[in-house]
Amino acid sequence: MNLRPSRKWITYPLLFMVSLGLIGIAILAIAVMIVYPRLPDVKVLQDYRPAIPLRVYTADGVQIGEFGQERRDFLKIADVPEKMKQALMAAEDERFYQHGGVDYISVARALLSNFTKGKTVSGASTITQQVAKNFFLTPEQTMERKFKEALLAFKIEQNFSKDQILELYMNQINLGQRAYGFGAAAKIYYGKPINELSIAQYAMLAGLPKAPSKFNPVVNPERAKTRQLYVLRRMHELGFITDAEWLAAQVEELHVLKSQADFTVRGEYVAEMVRQFMVDQYKDAAYTQGYKVYTTILADHQETAHLAVRHGMLDFDKRHGYRGAESYIDISNYAEGPVEQREDYLDQMLQEVKDSGDIYPAVVLEASPKKVVAYRKGGETLELTGAGLQFAQRMIGPKANEAVRIRPGAVIRVFQNSKGLWEISQLPQIESAFVSMDPNTGAMKALVGGFDFNRNNFNHATQAWRQPGSSFKPIIYSAALEKGFTASTIINDAPLVIEQGGQRWEPKNSDGRFSGPMSLRQALTKSKNLVSIRILQAITPQYAQEYMQKFGFTPDKHPPYLTMALGAGSVTPYQMSAAYSVFANGGYKVQSYFIERIEDPKGKVVFQSKPYVVGQNAPEAIDPRNAFIMTSVMGDVVRYGTAARAMSLGRKDLAGKTGTTNDVMDAWFAGFSQRNLVGVVWVGYDQPKPLGGSETGGHAALPIWMTYMGKVLKGIPERPLPMPKGVVKQGSEYYYAERTSTAPGLGLDNSSSARPASGEGGGDGGEEAGTNVETVRDLLF
């Protein structure tokens, strides 16, 4: 039998195939020779600096803010738990430590699988290839890109160790929820550092790189669970976990965090102040260089202040009644369709209505005077009865105003009380601000700029210039002490009419009554307006304007008119806290500040505050004798005067002054625990209007101050100001040693020729005092 033909049929095709292979190899070699030199220099990865966001912390290390497009928490490979690495190997690249950049076994397996299924069902990219793609290439699915990816993988493997490659991968990869890298993902999904997670949680994280949006446990918990179970199975098959660990991990509840933005301490206004400062200093680099800013804020102080302001505003709101439904949505078709579809519709309608802490929006489904059924975002239906309806009762019945009546479709607010029962509430229209400060250093300990930063990010503590009302009087009285007054000087609280050029100003006391002759101490304790005006007439507004600069106030905000005596200028709560620190610390100037230090990503301190410190380098602002006597007088305000309810705190070292402006537009309380802590509260509307009712400083602002001070001063010993040299005590009163006799009285003849002010108390100001004031001064000094 002739076998030659059969040999030809075998030889020629074989030669053809070999030739094609050689041609392919030659083409591939040429392509490599052309493309390889043009590939990016992978050595740039040696100086890998991921975009790490700006993070803001309290002085005691609690995070209160984060700013940046990408949320990162850089991990050194040595700090990555072994089980996390193994979970990643099982999910993405089981032969990572064996291959040289491209896993040919996995490629062959993937090609066979795809050929068998007739479509692409799996890939074979190694972790090294993913590093190449993430750092140097686009995500487009083309042969050219895959070719470059493979070459870059070889190049990376030649220049970096396996652990270095894995470190790059674990810090650069997008894992959903704005989390880049596994360090950030651990905190975002679970609220813990990665070394505190379980095997089940490692598996969940390891399943994310394949498709972060598809397997996101927050958005798609079922798909995420399926993916997690796959990773656990592969870990078990590869011998990374035992049978017992595998079984336990499969049934473990994961408790994924649903919210990304919340921090345990609500310090949004402080964090925003830091952000603005950092952008001013570092421009766009502030968001990417991983700076850590440690503020002077204390976590417990900040959270206490936040809650005090919120509760104070909610109490204010309750005193003024329920206003009705916020808005209405169409629920006429709510009863139709499956439950899930109806809930999706309501969730969509409520999507733009933001929560406010523990006060949630809800849609009313049923309403009657005895029961309201409402739907809350997330699928919860609430039934409110009894006490839960009490606040809104007048807006539920048929007699209520139809425009705001609680009826089906109404959007209301609900909150869960301490007993776990739901009640109807509302978001206050009133605003407030609170600032507390260490008077010995100027370090801010708490700052709240409003009821809710997410609703209104205007910082009322630092940006709201408002009239301080009577809370400014201690500045005027302090100036009077320097001009020869004493705390026992008698001034007449009697009617005063000031006329000049056809203008007439007849100021009144807030209670409408006059008490006749009284000491300076009594006048401040009772906040007598007529006495304050007579004092300012005597010392002149010009002197008071110059003197107040010792406390940090600027002349442009306080024109030299008689209405200055009633707090007609403009201040911020932040500014007032610094001013009252001068009294609280014994007369020394401290510079208020809120940033303690700034660190770079490596922990190197790039900025350290250098504050004035009382007893070290703080300069004298006012005579310590003055500060001591004024603190004593303001102590009487708390003991016997307009802030007497603060005595319920059970401390003897408290001092301060209430403030209520003309027409009750603003309410204040500025006070302190001597040498310990200063706190300032403001209450008012963004667009000034009367607060209504009896909402004075002692009624609207003081309770917020008391709530804060009552908690943060608990266990802090009293440290009253020591009596400085040059102060003597005669009877129950303190004097400068050279002024032990009481100065002649002021205004006892009930006369005044002062020029008129241009407005009422708390208004825009008035003209300077006239010549007859000089005669009074001659009598006094």
Side-chain angles (χ1 to χ4, degrees):
M1 182 180 292
N2 189 357
L3 298 177
R4 287 184 179 180
S6 64
R7 289 177 180 172
K8 290 180 180 180
W9 284 110
I10 295 173
T11 303
Y12 292 156
L14 184 60
L15 289 172
F16 179 73
M17 291 175 65
V18 171
S19 299
L20 284 179
L22 292 173
I23 293 171
I25 292 172
I27 293 172
L28 180 63
I30 293 170
V32 170
M33 292 173 63
I34 295 173
V35 174
Y36 194 84
R38 299 179 181 178
L39 292 174
D41 184 4
V42 298
K43 289 185 179 180
V44 298
L45 297 179
Q46 292 175 347
D47 193 30
Y48 172 58
R49 294 181 181 178
I52 301 176
L54 167 66
R55 292 191 174 96
V56 185
Y57 299 87
T58 63
D60 39 355
V62 178
Q63 188 173 353
I64 58 173
E66 181 170 302
F67 302 94
Q69 291 297 318
E70 301 174 355
R71 304 181 72 178
R72 294 185 186 272
D73 193 4
F74 186 81
L75 277 177
K76 293 181 179 180
I77 194 64
D79 297 330
V80 178
E82 189 64 25
K83 283 291 186 286
M84 181 69 249
K85 296 180 188 178
Q86 292 172 340
L88 197 53
M89 302 300 106
E92 293 293 315
D93 190 355
E94 65 185 74
R95 288 175 20 85
F96 172 70
Y97 282 97
Q98 285 76 50
H99 63 67
V102 175
D103 189 350
Y104 301 109
I105 296 176
S106 296
V107 170
R109 186 188 305 125
L111 288 174
L112 180 60
S113 176
N114 294 339
F115 178 77
T116 303
K117 300 290 178 56
K119 59 179 180 180
T120 302
V121 294
S122 64
S125 289
T126 63
I127 286 176
T128 312
Q129 286 176 274
Q130 292 182 58
V131 169
K133 180 180 71 174
N134 291 335
F135 281 96
F136 299 110
L137 303 172
T138 64
E140 60 180 343
Q141 297 292 330
T142 64
M143 289 300 296
E144 179 184 358
R145 198 270 293 165
K146 291 295 291 182
F147 180 61
K148 289 181 178 179
E149 180 185 291
L151 292 181
L152 277 169
F154 289 129
K155 199 171 185 179
I156 290 171
E157 291 273 352
Q158 292 172 358
N159 287 274
F160 296 91
S161 69
K162 286 290 187 179
D163 279 349
Q164 287 176 317
I165 295 169
L166 190 58
E167 182 177 274
L168 290 167
Y169 176 81
M170 295 192 73
N171 284 289
Q172 183 69 13
I173 193 73
N174 175 16
L175 297 171
Q177 301 291 95
R178 287 178 49 232
Y180 284 77
F182 286 87
K187 292 181 179 178
I188 290 171
Y189 287 111
Y190 299 113
K192 300 178 182 179
I194 199 167
N195 60 353
E196 294 182 11
L197 301 188
S198 66
I199 292 173
Q201 291 169 330
Y202 291 141
M204 180 70 81
L205 295 182
L208 290 170
K210 184 176 180 67
S213 59
K214 183 178 179 181
F215 300 121
N216 185 324
V218 174
V219 180
N220 297 307
E222 292 183 3
R223 287 181 176 177
K225 184 64 178 179
T226 300
R227 177 67 175 165
Q228 181 224 26
L229 291 175
Y230 164 77
V231 176
L232 287 172
R233 177 172 59 81
R234 292 292 298 138
M235 292 180 73
H236 181 250
E237 291 173 349
L238 294 169
F240 293 150
I241 56 177
T242 65
D243 293 345
E245 289 173 330
W246 181 36
L247 293 173
Q250 290 180 82
V251 298
E252 180 182 318
E253 292 187 25
L254 298 177
H255 303 295
V256 176
L257 299 180
K258 300 296 183 182
S259 173
Q260 307 175 46
D262 290 342
F263 296 101
T264 56
V265 173
R266 302 297 297 273
E268 297 97 325
Y269 289 99
V270 179
E272 175 60 17
M273 291 167 64
V274 170
R275 185 196 68 80
Q276 293 177 13
F277 173 85
M278 293 297 289
V279 171
D280 286 344
Q281 297 296 315
Y282 299 100
K283 310 307 179 190
D284 289 344
Y287 299 119
T288 61
Q289 298 304 302
Y291 290 111
K292 292 182 178 180
V293 180
Y294 289 86
T295 65
T296 59
I297 295 294
L298 292 175
D300 61 334
H301 283 236
Q302 180 63 31
E303 190 62 14
T304 300
H306 168 76
L307 293 175
V309 167
R310 282 183 70 87
H311 292 162
M313 294 301 90
L314 289 171
D315 289 344
F316 178 100
D317 218 44
K318 280 191 173 182
R319 293 195 293 270
H320 293 265
Y322 187 63
R323 297 184 297 273
E326 284 189 17
S327 60
Y328 296 90
I329 64 174
D330 182 10
I331 63 167
S332 57
N333 297 324
Y334 173 75
E336 301 175 4
V339 173
E340 186 175 341
Q341 185 176 338
R342 286 182 283 165
E343 291 180 350
D344 286 346
Y345 170 74
L346 294 178
D347 281 342
Q348 184 178 356
M349 292 295 100
L350 289 171
Q351 192 64 37
E352 298 302 318
V353 187
K354 295 180 179 179
D355 295 345
S356 179
D358 56 357
I359 303 175
Y360 307 99
V363 181
V364 174
L365 305 178
E366 302 174 26
S368 72
K370 292 187 176 181
K371 183 176 73 172
V372 169
V373 178
Y375 175 86
R376 190 167 77 89
K377 246 189 311 191
E380 186 175 4
T381 300
L382 312 174
E383 188 173 294
L384 300 100
T385 59
L389 303 180
Q390 188 174 353
F391 179 51
Q393 193 72 61
R394 69 187 186 90
M395 289 295 181
I396 301 176
K399 295 182 180 180
N401 183 346
E402 186 64 22
V404 291
R405 183 167 65 90
I406 293 179
R407 52 185 167 81
V411 176
I412 61 173
R413 295 279 172 167
V414 296
F415 83 101
Q416 198 168 23
N417 63 27
S418 58
K419 297 180 180 178
L421 301 177
W422 288 95
E423 297 182 17
I424 294 178
S425 183
Q426 66 185 359
L427 296 182
Q429 293 178 339
I430 195 75
E431 280 290 359
S432 180
F434 178 86
V435 180
S436 70
M437 186 175 292
D438 180 349
N440 303 296
T441 63
M444 188 171 65
K445 297 304 176 185
L447 183 145
V448 180
F451 179 79
D452 185 350
F453 180 83
N454 293 320
R455 183 183 71 164
N456 183 356
N457 55 29
F458 181 79
N459 192 336
H460 299 85
T462 60
Q463 297 174 297
W465 290 91
R466 306 296 287 248
Q467 292 183 348
S470 296
S471 64
F472 196 75
K473 287 178 182 176
I475 310 301
I476 304 299
Y477 282 56
S478 175
L481 292 185
E482 287 307 300
K483 293 296 279 183
F485 281 78
T486 71
S488 62
T489 299
I490 302 299
I491 306 102
N492 198 7
D493 177 37
L496 182 64
V497 178
I498 303 173
E499 294 184 352
Q500 181 73 25
Q503 298 184 57
R504 179 186 177 90
W505 182 38
E506 191 173 355
K508 305 289 184 183
N509 287 320
S510 59
D511 59 6
R513 298 194 297 268
F514 303 98
S515 301
M518 60 174 55
S519 70
L520 181 148
R521 176 182 289 273
Q522 292 172 320
L524 188 63
T525 300
K526 297 181 179 180
S527 197
K528 292 294 185 176
N529 291 342
L530 276 298
V531 171
S532 299
I533 293 169
R534 282 190 163 91
I535 289 174
L536 186 58
Q537 283 181 312
I539 66 174
T540 77
Q542 290 76 17
Y543 175 76
Q545 186 190 51
E546 178 183 351
Y547 183 81
M548 71 181 182
Q549 295 177 56
K550 298 175 182 290
F551 295 85
F553 298 110
T554 56
D556 61 308
K557 297 292 186 181
H558 300 269
Y561 305 139
L562 289 179
T563 48
M564 183 193 297
L566 308 184
S570 296
V571 301
T572 67
Y574 189 79
Q575 191 179 42
M576 287 291 278
S577 65
Y580 269 70
S581 290
V582 175
F583 293 127
N585 66 30
Y588 294 91
K589 178 182 179 180
V590 291
Q591 183 66 47
S592 55
Y593 70 107
F594 58 92
I595 293 178
E596 181 64 38
R597 70 183 186 278
I598 302 172
E599 296 181 358
D600 67 12
K602 296 181 180 179
K604 179 183 177 182
V605 176
V606 296
F607 170 81
Q608 178 70 57
S609 64
K610 297 179 180 178
Y612 287 143
V613 179
V614 173
Q616 296 181 18
N617 60 346
E620 187 176 290
I622 63 174
D623 191 323
R625 299 176 300 173
N626 186 307
F628 176 80
I629 293 173
M630 283 305 305
T631 294
S632 171
V633 174
M634 283 189 280
D636 279 1
V637 174
V638 174
R639 283 186 286 272
Y640 317 115
T642 54
R645 64 194 300 183
M647 287 303 293
S648 64
L649 296 180
R651 297 183 68 97
K652 298 178 182 179
D653 64 338
L654 302 179
K657 184 68 185 75
T658 54
T660 310
T661 63
N662 195 42
D663 294 328
V664 198
M665 298 283 193
D666 301 270
W668 293 79
F669 184 73
F672 52 91
S673 163
Q674 299 170 38
R675 299 202 293 166
N676 277 325
L677 196 63
V678 172
V680 175
V681 181
W682 165 84
V683 176
Y685 289 101
D686 277 338
Q687 298 300 321
K689 65 178 182 179
L691 301 180
S694 59
E695 301 293 355
T696 61
H699 195 58
L702 178 59
I704 296 173
W705 186 89
M706 291 172 58
T707 299
Y708 170 81
M709 289 290 189
K711 183 172 181 179
V712 302
L713 290 178
K714 190 174 183 179
I716 303 297
E718 297 182 5
R719 297 196 305 158
L721 285 173
M723 189 168 69
K725 292 181 179 179
V727 172
V728 295
K729 188 175 183 180
Q730 291 187 346
S732 60
E733 194 54 87
Y734 297 99
Y735 299 89
Y736 286 14
E738 66 271 22
R739 300 176 191 167
T740 56
S741 61
T742 303
L746 177 63
L748 299 181
D749 59 357
N750 197 24
S751 64
S752 173
S753 301
R755 295 180 182 178
S758 63
E760 289 288 335
D764 291 331
E767 298 296 327
E768 64 188 47
T771 54
N772 278 8
V773 173
E774 298 301 322
T775 303
V776 177
R777 290 178 62 200
D778 289 340
L779 290 173
L780 285 172
F781 318 125

